[in-house]
């Protein structure tokens, strides 16, 4: 088994929207914050000293359940 070198940049995940439209932002197993809008993601990354990342275009951010323009509210989720 070979060890992988540490990555130069963190891997950020913006998780799929919750029922209220908010999205959890994580770095590995650490929750950095909860965002309700793209501006919140930018602020969360700034507070974590990761503000050099271009939020909307970076390959360092994985957008799950929609991209940076997807912030559905409760009324936009399909009925089960």
């Amino acid at each position: 088994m070979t060890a992988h070198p540490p990555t130069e940049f963190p891997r950020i995940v913006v998780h799929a929207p919750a029922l209220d439209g908010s999205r959890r932002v994580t770095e590995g197993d650490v929750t950095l914050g909860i965002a309700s809008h793209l501006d919140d993601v930018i602020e969360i990354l700034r507070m974590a000293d990761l503000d050099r990342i271009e939020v909307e275009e970076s390959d360092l951010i994985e957008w799950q359940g929609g991209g940076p323009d997807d912030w559905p509210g409760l009324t936009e989720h399909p009925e089960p």
Side-chain angles (χ1 to χ4, degrees), residues 23-78:
R23 300 174 78 166
R24 192 165 46 103
V25 180
T26 61
E27 178 186 353
D29 293 336
V30 177
T31 298
L32 299 176
I34 304 296
S36 297
H37 190 271
L38 181 60
D39 290 339
D40 293 339
V41 176
I42 294 167
E43 180 64 12
I44 289 167
L45 295 180
R46 186 187 71 75
M47 297 293 290
D49 253 353
L50 300 170
D51 53 337
R52 292 185 211 142
I53 296 173
E54 182 61 42
V55 175
E56 295 181 72
E57 299 174 10
S58 177
D59 291 337
L60 300 175
I61 298 178
E62 177 184 341
W63 293 88
Q64 298 179 344
D69 294 325
D70 295 314
W71 298 90
L74 182 59
T75 59
E76 295 182 39
H77 285 275

